[in-house]
């Protein structure tokens, strides 16, 4: 089946350090979405990227979509303890009409040490 | 607005028992989804619905059935629970192919 490879699986940082998670696909993506899930919580939508080379920022978070639309990254500058959680990328289901169906990456679990 | 709600929040079943998980949304979304989340495997789509009265299979549909009799509700059924179905189940809804809004989840343990 389709796979979205997300790395790293775990990342431990000291508060104030930067953090990056990467999402790679073997196929060209129509768009990619990013979600955050706090420990014990549910996934919450962060952003959707659609255009080749697109870069979007949300305060300390920077999202990029690769020029070939096969990879994406989420970068957090100067992490805070509130950034703790699992970050997922998700791509549209391939093979026919997606109907909004998503294939999720395995997620990157971020821990921040104060 | 409550968004997406799920009932129950926790449940313990014995192998072979049946149960129904209820998902409700008040955002008038056409699309609804059921996922399961297991450690290290992200979220996997079980079934989905693109409108009232319609359902379709996702990535891991075996052992589950769904119904969408009303636009705001999406039910997930387990007819004969197995230990392999121990998981956290999330329901989500969306307006067309856009951001998905997730419910708080149901933690199911099958003994």
């Amino acid at each position: 089946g389709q796979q979205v490879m997300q790395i790293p699986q775990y990342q431990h940082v000291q508060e104030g350090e930067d953090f990056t998670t990467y999402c790679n696909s073997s196929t060209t993506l129509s768009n990619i979405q990013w979600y955050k899930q706090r420990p014990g919580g549910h996934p919450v939508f962060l952003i959707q990227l659609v255009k080749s080379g697109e870069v979007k920022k949300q305060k300390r978070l920077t999202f990029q979509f690769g020029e070939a639309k096969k990879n994406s990254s989420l970068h957090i500058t100067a992490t805070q303890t509130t950034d703790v959680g699992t970050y997922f990328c998700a791509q549209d289901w391939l093979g026919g009409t997606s109907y909004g169906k998503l294939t999720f990456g395995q997620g990157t679990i971020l821990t921040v040490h104060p | 607005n409550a968004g997406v709600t799920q009932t129950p929040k926790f449940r313990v079943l014995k192998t072979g028992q049946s149960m129904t998980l209820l998902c409700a949304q008040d955002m008038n979304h056409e699309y609804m989804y059921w996922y399961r989340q297991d450690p290290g495997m992200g979220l996997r789509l079980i079934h989905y619905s693109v409108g009232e009265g319609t359902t379709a299979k996702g990535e891991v549909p075996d052992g589950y059935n769904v119904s969408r009799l009303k636009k705001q509700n999406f039910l997930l059924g387990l007819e004969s629970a197995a230990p392999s179905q121990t998981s956290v189940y999330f329901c989500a809804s969306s307006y067309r192919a856009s951001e998905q809004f997730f419910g708080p989840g149901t933690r199911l343990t099958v003994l």
Side-chain angles (χ1 to χ4, degrees):
Chain A
Q2 309 166 79
Q3 282 199 338
V4 180
M5 301 305 297
Q6 194 173 349
I7 56 172
Q9 190 174 359
Y10 302 95
Q11 186 74 57
H12 310 281
V13 299
Q14 288 292 132
E15 190 172 18
E17 292 182 337
D18 292 355
F19 159 75
T20 306
T21 175
Y22 301 90
C23 196
N24 299 299
S25 173
S26 57
T27 57
T28 302
L29 306 173
S30 58
N31 65 77
I32 195 159
Q33 298 183 17
W34 285 92
Y35 290 80
K36 177 184 178 181
Q37 183 177 23
R38 294 182 186 276
H42 58 276
V44 175
F45 174 82
L46 293 176
I47 208 159
Q48 178 171 285
L49 304 173
V50 179
K51 300 177 182 178
S52 169
E54 190 169 16
V55 178
K56 287 189 175 180
K57 292 189 176 183
Q58 292 178 350
K59 297 183 179 179
R60 295 177 295 104
L61 277 62
T62 301
F63 303 85
Q64 292 188 323
F65 203 8
E67 292 289 343
K69 300 182 73 172
K70 288 187 174 182
N71 56 72
S72 181
S73 65
L74 158 59
H75 179 82
I76 302 178
T77 303
T79 55
Q80 300 175 358
T81 55
T82 53
D83 296 324
V84 164
T86 304
Y87 293 85
F88 293 100
C89 61
Q91 68 174 54
D92 267 355
W93 193 275
L94 297 177
T97 306
S98 75
Y99 292 117
K101 302 194 302 293
L102 298 173
T103 299
F104 282 80
Q106 300 95 323
T108 295
I109 300 172
L110 172 65
T111 56
V112 179
H113 301 285
Chain B
N1 290 347
V4 180
T5 58
Q6 291 183 234
T7 308
K9 288 185 169 54
F10 304 92
R11 185 73 186 267
V12 178
L13 290 178
K14 294 182 179 179
T15 297
Q17 287 185 319
S18 63
M19 78 165 294
T20 300
L21 283 69
L22 171 64
C23 175
Q25 53 95 5
D26 61 2
M27 296 174 283
N28 202 35
H29 285 165
E30 289 291 336
Y31 295 3
M32 295 187 75
Y33 315 86
W34 274 108
Y35 294 91
R36 61 177 289 172
Q37 183 174 35
D38 303 293
M41 299 191 72
L43 292 103
R44 292 182 292 168
L45 183 66
I46 305 171
H47 285 280
Y48 66 100
S49 168
V50 299
E52 182 178 316
T54 74
T55 63
K57 294 179 180 180
E59 182 185 356
V60 288
D62 294 343
Y64 306 94
N65 56 75
V66 288
S67 64
R68 183 109 180 259
L69 299 179
K70 293 183 178 181
K71 185 177 182 179
Q72 63 267 35
N73 295 338
F74 195 27
L75 278 64
L76 177 70
L78 286 73
E79 290 186 349
S80 180
S84 60
Q85 293 177 304
T86 293
S87 188
V88 180
Y89 292 86
F90 287 102
C91 174
S93 71
S94 69
Y95 175 71
R96 305 294 182 184
S98 59
E99 66 177 284
Q100 294 189 9
F101 294 82
F102 284 79
T106 295
R107 294 185 176 275
L108 175 66
T109 301
V110 182
L111 302 175

